[in-house]
Amino acid sequence: MIQTRLLETAIDQFGRLGFEGASTREIARASDTAMSSITYHFGGKEGLYLAAADHIAKQVREILGPLRQKAEELAGNSTREQTIELLLAMLDGFAQMMLRLESEAWSRFIVREQQQPTEAFERLYQGAMKAMIETFVLLLRGARTDLDDAECRATAIMLFGQALVLRVGRASVCRALGVEALGEAEGTLLRTRLRKTALCILEEGNG
Amino acid sequence: MIQTRLLETAIDQFGRLGFEGASTREIARASDTAMSSITYHFGGKEGLYLAAADHIAKQVREILGPLRQKAEELAGNSTREQTIELLLAMLDGFAQMMLRLESEAWSRFIVREQQQPTEAFERLYQGAMKAMIETFVLLLRGARTDLDDAECRATAIMLFGQALVLRVGRASVCRALGVEALGEAEGTLLRTRLRKTALCILEEGNG
DNA sequence: GTCTATACTACGATAGAC
DNA sequence: GTCTATCGTAGTATAGAC
């Protein structure tokens, strides 16, 4: 599928070089097609960019969807222990995504949009992030009944930050751990620590 | 000073558009000078990029330097309570930097380098980040004697992540809180929550 | 649908006037 | 030291062949 090939190359190139820095010529060449295919299939550079955002949202949905669905099922009737375990599982799923090599290209794309949102951010948010965040906050309210809604949302942000840093602070994370790249061992260490810090945040208050 | 003006514009433009995306013509124009000034003062586009990294490192040193110095003074002889309070102060200083409008341009530049390090990352790390991270880890070892060095470093990463997300996940943070932009009220809410989550992580173990 | 060819604009570097 | 002028390259978009 030439569309898919173009989209995957586009995500990589846009993520790496930004919208302005990436070139449609290069994206087409790396996808083994002519530049005008982009015009034909996506209407131009901007159309390709937005389609790339949709493509990312779809893949993120497919990866994190099952966990989210399970969370919504258990949202109504579950013990505090179950709720906390599910929150930890969602966070670990997110952390694993941040550690994955495949997510590197997406992440670059998404982080760019976080700092300078365009129409593409809207598609990413509505298409994948919103549902995940809202489910997470809902569960968190069950685990931390001592906090009001705004406090829960702020706490959720802190929890996500701990996983996000694995991707967006990657170079510093490697330096801090004294390694060239994050391998199996470092991944386990970091995920274990994340579980511990998250657990003590979740159990705070009414333990 | 035309050099300073060029550097500040460069940080903004490189951060926004990336190395390839930014144009020396535009940087010069926005700095009210000719493009060839860049060649004269910095040797070219790449020289300007590296000089911009040095400029950022210098400013970060000036902002976070005092806290770091105080930390090193107290590192040897201080109570656990003092150590924890200092760690919280350093983290809050970092969080305030992430919330500041002025740091927006730097952050974009740094985040880019984190995900795709070039020689500029080396300058940022050696020039500002290394000292801050190592001081933080040293203090953390004093507060969490139950953890070994690697575990402390991983925990430090989690703590920094909670502040980092305020900048690199900005668009989602705003959405999660249901606001257009982060104002005084949201800043206070987030910093208060950060203090609480950090405190419970720091006090874990040997309370 | 996918290609080649072309029009037009903007890029970085550099030479030379002042 | 700062400017203008110019060169060669590479960008997007588009028209038209197949």
Side-chain angles (χ1 to χ4, degrees):
Chain A
M1 208 59 180
I2 196 164
Q3 276 109 321
T4 312
R5 227 162 53 232
L6 276 170
L7 284 173
E8 278 162 8
T9 313
I11 290 167
D12 184 69
Q13 296 281 314
F14 283 133
R16 223 177 271 282
L17 306 167
F19 181 79
E20 294 85 355
S23 109
T24 52
R25 267 187 156 81
E26 180 57 27
I27 291 170
R29 202 199 53 76
S31 306
D32 277 318
T33 185
M35 203 213 61
S36 46
S37 300
I38 292 172
T39 314
Y40 180 77
H41 287 293
F42 303 102
K45 192 182 189 180
E46 196 167 327
L48 179 60
Y49 189 77
L50 294 174
D54 290 334
H55 195 65
I56 291 173
K58 184 160 168 263
Q59 291 191 260
V60 172
R61 266 202 312 275
E62 280 166 10
I63 289 181
L64 292 178
L67 262 176
R68 195 185 64 82
Q69 196 173 356
K70 193 179 165 199
E72 285 189 343
E73 282 167 24
L74 284 176
N77 49 356
S78 60
T79 66
R80 180 146 191 270
E81 283 66 35
Q82 284 176 314
T83 305
I84 287 180
E85 206 49 54
L86 198 50
L87 280 164
L88 291 174
M90 283 184 78
L91 203 56
D92 188 56
F94 187 64
Q96 283 189 58
M97 207 171 93
M98 295 294 99
L99 287 167
R100 271 204 202 195
L101 197 66
E102 303 96 279
S103 76
E104 207 174 341
W106 309 347
S107 308
R108 280 193 285 253
F109 192 107
I110 296 172
V111 168
R112 224 171 262 277
E113 282 295 325
Q114 290 277 349
Q115 297 195 84
Q116 300 173 270
T118 69
E119 195 194 323
F121 177 74
E122 201 62 37
R123 302 198 181 199
L124 288 167
Y125 185 76
Q126 298 293 343
M129 294 163 59
K130 187 177 181 180
M132 191 176 64
I133 293 173
E134 292 305 324
T135 306
F136 194 87
V137 169
L138 189 70
L139 285 171
L140 187 56
R141 292 222 58 178
R144 290 292 304 265
T145 47
D146 58 315
L147 303 180
D148 65 26
D149 186 63
E151 288 170 331
C152 264
R153 288 173 178 275
T155 305
I157 289 163
M158 300 304 150
L159 287 166
F160 272 109
Q162 296 184 50
L164 196 66
V165 67
L166 302 181
R167 179 95 267 161
V168 300
R170 179 62 61 99
S172 296
V173 169
C174 288
R175 292 297 174 106
L177 295 178
V179 294
E180 277 292 311
L182 298 188
E184 194 70 37
E186 291 81 24
T188 306
L189 169 72
L190 290 162
R191 283 172 55 206
T192 305
R193 274 301 112 195
L194 172 56
R195 189 186 160 86
K196 299 256 188 196
T197 58
L199 190 60
C200 96
I201 290 169
L202 293 172
E203 284 182 340
E204 178 87 351
N206 46 356
Chain B
M1 207 59 181
I2 194 166
Q3 275 108 321
T4 312
R5 225 163 52 233
L6 276 171
L7 283 173
E8 278 162 9
T9 314
I11 290 166
D12 184 69
Q13 296 282 315
F14 282 134
R16 226 177 271 282
L17 306 167
F19 181 79
E20 295 86 356
S23 108
T24 53
R25 270 188 155 84
E26 180 57 27
I27 292 170
R29 201 198 54 74
S31 306
D32 277 319
T33 185
M35 204 207 57
S36 46
S37 301
I38 291 172
T39 314
Y40 180 78
H41 287 292
F42 303 101
K45 193 182 190 182
E46 196 168 325
L48 179 62
Y49 189 75
L50 294 175
D54 290 334
H55 195 66
I56 292 172
K58 183 161 169 263
Q59 291 189 260
V60 172
R61 267 202 310 276
E62 280 166 10
I63 289 180
L64 292 178
L67 263 177
R68 196 185 63 83
Q69 196 172 357
K70 193 179 166 199
E72 285 190 343
E73 282 167 23
L74 284 177
N77 48 358
S78 60
T79 66
R80 180 147 191 269
E81 282 66 35
Q82 284 177 313
T83 306
I84 286 180
E85 206 48 55
L86 199 48
L87 279 165
L88 290 174
M90 284 183 76
L91 202 57
D92 188 54
F94 187 64
Q96 282 189 60
M97 209 171 90
M98 295 294 98
L99 287 168
R100 270 202 200 198
L101 198 66
E102 304 96 279
S103 77
E104 205 174 342
W106 309 347
S107 308
R108 280 192 285 253
F109 192 107
I110 296 173
V111 168
R112 223 171 263 277
E113 282 296 325
Q114 290 277 350
Q115 297 194 84
Q116 300 173 272
T118 69
E119 195 193 324
F121 177 73
E122 201 63 36
R123 303 197 180 200
L124 289 166
Y125 184 76
Q126 299 292 342
M129 295 165 61
K130 188 178 179 178
M132 192 177 63
I133 293 173
E134 292 305 324
T135 306
F136 194 86
V137 169
L138 189 70
L139 286 171
L140 188 56
R141 291 223 57 178
R144 288 293 303 266
T145 47
D146 58 315
L147 301 180
D148 65 26
D149 186 63
E151 288 170 331
C152 264
R153 289 173 179 275
T155 305
I157 289 164
M158 298 305 150
L159 286 166
F160 273 108
Q162 296 183 52
L164 195 66
V165 68
L166 302 180
R167 180 94 268 159
V168 301
R170 179 62 61 99
S172 296
V173 169
C174 289
R175 292 297 175 104
L177 295 179
V179 294
E180 277 292 312
L182 298 188
E184 193 70 38
E186 291 81 23
T188 305
L189 168 71
L190 289 162
R191 284 172 55 208
T192 304
R193 274 299 112 196
L194 171 56
R195 190 186 159 85
K196 299 258 188 195
T197 57
L199 189 61
C200 96
I201 290 169
L202 293 172
E203 283 182 340
E204 177 87 353
N206 47 356

